[in-house]
Amino acid sequence: MFDDFRREAVRTAITINTVVGGSGSPVLLLHGYPQNLSMWAQVAPALAADHTVVCADLRGYGDSNKPVQDEDLANYSFRQMAQDQVDVMRTLGFERFHVVGHDRGARTAHRMALDHPKAVRSLALLDIAPTYDMFERVDAATAKAYWHWYFLQQPAPYPEEIIAADPDHFFEGCLTGWGAMELSDFGPEQLASYRRSWRDRDFIFASGADYRAAGEVDVRLDEADLHRKVDCPALVLWGERGIARLIDMEEVWSARLSQMRTATLPSGHFFVDQFPAETTRILSRFLASV
């Protein structure tokens, strides 16, 4: 994976693991839960034909540092994760860039566009509804589909010890359960990379801190910004068998984005893995237009 990319550990407030390749206008690709930057292995090389592509592990994930959660959880908020990645891009020489995020990476990207509007040239959000809406629109169907949001918010170390007893069973269940995918939909090298990461106890604790922060810090930050819209060009892309079954994606995002475009794929949540060529085409068209 990433044969023509260079691997670089970028020191910011913590060390963030990245791979960098290509040339042209910079694009930052951010992964989601329970994955790492390997999710972009089939997308990044194609985008690198026209762009300098940076794939980064979020704090707490992959090979990035995994600090112990602070008492107030702020060090695992999307605000802090966004700051990490802005600092990474500046360290690499990019003051302004496109950002594409999936799942937790998309939440980080949305917060980045709010907190650092001068840095974000365009925004692509893959298969998420806004964090505020995820908590405010909970009903029986949403709670059943996204049960892990509430399980992972329980005080440490209760969820962590349960997960650590058999991490493959837990995380593969996430991919095939609320992810609505089959394990065979994932590339073998990528799946091996995910397994290596999620078997690490520090990852298990850090990703729990991420979800705890979402339920405490991030939902308050989003509520405070309900009156604001992101002004840069924005693409919202979702799988038809994912969150769109429960939430009207055009409705919730039109209230947050002033220049919104939409696209869909016939898949569950992890369509970047299942349909990398189709995902790349949609992203390439969007990036070429902005």
Side-chain angles (χ1 to χ4, degrees), residues 64-223:
S64 289
N65 283 169
K66 301 168 181 66
V68 175
Q69 70 178 41
D70 290 342
E71 186 174 344
D72 65 0
L73 299 168
N75 69 327
Y76 276 96
S77 68
F78 296 126
R79 170 163 285 171
Q80 180 59 65
M81 290 186 181
Q83 185 66 61
D84 290 339
Q85 301 300 332
V86 169
D87 291 344
V88 164
M89 295 301 279
R90 286 175 178 161
T91 300
L92 294 173
F94 306 121
E95 292 289 336
R96 185 167 167 79
F97 50 89
H98 307 280
V99 59
V100 178
H102 176 261
D103 190 82
R104 313 310 280 181
R107 300 185 188 285
T108 300
H110 182 218
R111 175 47 56 187
M112 185 187 298
L114 289 167
D115 287 358
H116 305 275
K118 292 182 179 179
V120 178
R121 180 174 171 183
S122 74
L123 176 67
L125 303 170
L126 278 53
D127 215 60
I128 65 160
T131 302
Y132 178 83
D133 293 272
M134 287 296 293
F135 286 107
E136 289 300 308
R137 298 182 180 226
V138 178
D139 58 17
T142 306
K144 181 178 180 180
Y146 292 93
W147 58 270
H148 63 292
W149 278 57
Y150 311 101
F151 170 68
L152 292 168
Q153 288 179 65
Q154 300 307 306
Y158 178 69
E160 289 85 349
E161 294 297 346
I162 291 175
I163 295 168
D166 193 345
D168 285 358
H169 180 72
F170 179 82
F171 289 114
E172 289 174 12
C174 291
L175 300 183
T176 60
W178 53 263
M181 306 277 280
E182 300 295 332
L183 287 182
S184 58
D185 292 325
F186 297 85
E189 284 186 281
Q190 289 165 275
L191 188 57
S193 176
Y194 303 155
R195 285 172 173 150
R196 179 183 65 81
S197 292
W198 71 42
R199 290 169 180 169
D200 178 2
R201 284 181 65 89
D202 289 340
F203 163 85
I204 294 170
F205 275 81
S207 58
D210 169 12
Y211 276 84
R212 291 186 190 100
E216 297 286 343
V217 182
D218 296 308
V219 72
R220 292 196 299 268
L221 292 172
D222 282 10
E223 184 175 18

